[in-house]
Amino acid sequence: MPNSRDNLYQMESALSEEKRIDLIQKFFQYQENFLKDTTENKGIISQLETIRGITFDTAYDMGLGINIIRPDYYGNYGYMWAIPTIRYSTTDNSITNLIIGFEYRPADFSKNGLEREANCSTGLAMVNTFDENTEILIVLEGYLDCYAFYQHLRTLKQDKYYHIITPCNGVNSLIKQIDEVDFTKYKKWILFLDNDSAGRTVAKTIKEKYPFFTDYYLSCGCKDFNEHLLNCISRNK
């Protein structure tokens, strides 16, 4: 089995102490912005639930924050979602130790205008933590799918059994990043990538190397779990 500690060390060493402190400060600032009771916040949070099906409680649990962009020439402020990139780990649950960057998205959470924090590491990310209850590793293709899946698990009261992870810089990077996983920590391993050519190709490549993975695809016609949450789960409530 690949030595995951070597990979993690490479990521950690790429992040300077100055940048790590900057990320921690931003994380708490973005969280503070998220919790402000303002008309602007209510609007952006409403968009997240209306357009993407993600609730306030899920956003809070996932550590989502709001980055308030400095005003333009006319004095208008901009608002973007700040998605924390939390490095995969089964031994450390501290955000301040594991945060390695941010992904910024517009209020509607689209990829149009997506930006990443400069001078940061990339790697395998997790959206919830590993603990003594965790039994199942599940790999999804993007943050929104992870958040939607977590939200569904919370509804079923099953979230404590799953460790939800995703590649933070594209599905193709998962082929290398999957080596960072400590597979011995889990009883079951699931690939739940997008139901498209790229997702299937990556899943096939990973299963050739790690055949114990089970790969899931949606049979309803939805491409990914966020789409499934919106079009199938929410409508059938």
Side-chain angles (χ1 to χ4, degrees):
M1 182 177 295
N3 188 337
S4 61
R5 287 177 298 179
D6 290 344
N7 291 330
L8 292 180
Y9 176 77
Q10 289 170 10
M11 287 203 309
E12 289 170 347
S13 63
L15 196 65
S16 69
E17 181 65 12
E18 181 180 6
K19 187 62 182 179
R20 189 182 72 83
I21 293 171
D22 177 58
L23 292 175
I24 293 169
Q25 292 173 338
K26 284 180 176 177
F27 176 80
F28 289 113
Q29 181 60 61
Y30 295 156
Q31 282 276 286
E32 183 180 325
N33 293 344
F34 173 76
L35 294 171
K36 289 179 179 177
D37 186 19
T38 65
T39 301
E40 290 79 12
N41 269 25
K42 290 176 181 177
I44 192 173
I45 292 169
S46 176
Q47 284 191 66
L48 182 62
E49 183 160 11
T50 302
I51 299 173
R52 297 294 181 169
I54 306 300
T55 66
F56 175 92
D57 289 341
T58 296
Y60 180 77
D61 287 350
M62 298 292 92
L64 281 177
I66 294 176
N67 181 19
I68 302 176
I69 311 299
R70 63 180 181 274
D72 59 18
Y73 177 81
Y74 299 99
N76 298 313
Y77 287 88
Y79 296 83
M80 296 189 77
W81 285 106
I83 305 170
T85 302
I86 309 301
R87 176 170 56 79
Y88 168 84
S89 177
T90 59
T91 59
D92 192 340
N93 292 336
S94 171
I95 296 295
T96 55
N97 290 338
L98 299 174
I99 189 164
I100 58 172
F102 287 98
E103 181 176 293
Y104 300 103
R105 290 202 187 189
D108 64 356
F109 236 92
S110 72
K111 290 187 177 180
N112 296 325
L114 183 151
E115 300 175 4
R116 298 187 190 280
E117 181 77 21
N119 303 316
C120 286
S121 304
T122 59
L124 198 61
M126 62 182 185
V127 302
N128 65 338
T129 55
F130 179 95
D131 63 25
E132 67 275 5
N133 296 305
T134 306
E135 297 181 357
I136 303 167
L137 174 78
I138 185 160
V139 188
L140 292 105
E141 193 165 320
Y143 289 111
L144 276 169
D145 296 330
C146 290
Y147 300 159
F149 190 77
Y150 169 85
Q151 184 169 296
H152 183 55
L153 289 177
R154 283 294 301 269
T155 302
L156 301 175
K157 301 186 186 303
Q158 295 291 309
D159 54 293
K160 66 180 180 180
Y161 302 116
Y162 286 78
H163 199 192
I164 306 170
I165 67 174
T166 188
C168 71
N169 55 336
V171 68
N172 289 323
S173 66
L174 185 60
I175 294 172
K176 290 185 178 180
Q177 292 174 5
I178 198 70
D179 292 344
E180 296 165 20
V181 172
D182 185 348
F183 296 105
T184 64
K185 298 288 189 179
Y186 310 96
K187 297 179 180 179
K188 188 174 182 180
W189 310 264
I190 298 172
L191 290 170
F192 203 156
L193 305 183
D194 285 6
N195 190 11
D196 58 14
S197 176
R200 287 181 177 273
T201 298
V202 170
K204 180 181 178 182
T205 301
I206 291 173
K207 284 199 68 178
E208 287 173 352
K209 189 173 185 179
Y210 300 113
F212 47 79
F213 266 107
T214 300
D215 54 333
Y216 285 179
Y217 295 102
L218 295 163
S219 60
C220 57
C222 293
K223 176 187 173 185
D224 55 42
F225 200 84
N226 186 225
E227 187 177 321
H228 183 59
L229 174 69
L230 286 166
N231 296 338
C232 299
I233 297 172
S234 298
R235 291 183 180 181
N236 290 329
K237 284 184 178 180

